[in-house]
Amino acid sequence: MNKLDKLIKWQFESHINMTNEHALMEVSTYKNIPIRRETHTKYRNGNPGKSEVIYWTPENPKNYNTLEELLRYINMRGDRNECR
């Protein structure tokens, strides 16, 4: 988790326990837009392994690898909407 992630007040939304993977979803808002952080952790023989974190927003279901990328998208989108 980077410094930017710590500035967002994430709230627990759900946890999914699958056979070989766990998924944790957390939600927040940025500029009144809902944003999501999903953490997927793979399990092998009951032991946690590699984790992957993705960020997205319901308005744009594209997955972003970092929170910074998602916020940049939201900021650019907002600038275009304000110019109309």
Side-chain angles (χ1 to χ4, degrees):
M1 186 181 314
N2 62 32
K3 292 178 185 179
L4 188 57
D5 247 322
K6 293 178 183 177
L7 295 176
I8 301 290
K9 293 183 180 181
W10 295 104
Q11 295 180 340
F12 172 81
E13 183 174 70
S14 65
H15 177 258
I16 301 169
N17 184 9
M18 298 169 274
T19 304
N20 294 323
E21 182 177 354
H22 287 216
L24 173 67
M25 176 155 334
E26 297 166 288
V27 296
S28 191
T29 57
Y30 176 73
K31 293 188 173 183
N32 295 319
I33 296 172
I35 58 175
R36 306 282 190 266
R37 175 173 70 183
E38 286 185 39
T39 305
H40 294 264
T41 303
K42 302 276 186 185
Y43 280 77
R44 182 177 291 183
N45 298 324
N47 297 317
K50 183 180 178 184
S51 289
E52 177 186 21
V53 179
I54 58 172
Y55 301 88
W56 58 281
T57 181
E59 294 179 0
N60 175 15
K62 177 185 174 201
N63 293 338
Y64 293 89
N65 293 324
T66 67
L67 179 58
E68 187 175 87
E69 289 174 356
L70 175 59
L71 299 184
R72 190 176 313 124
Y73 161 78
I74 292 171
N75 288 333
M76 288 180 7
R77 184 186 143 276
D79 291 345
R80 281 196 299 268
N81 288 342
E82 290 169 9
C83 292
R84 291 181 183 173

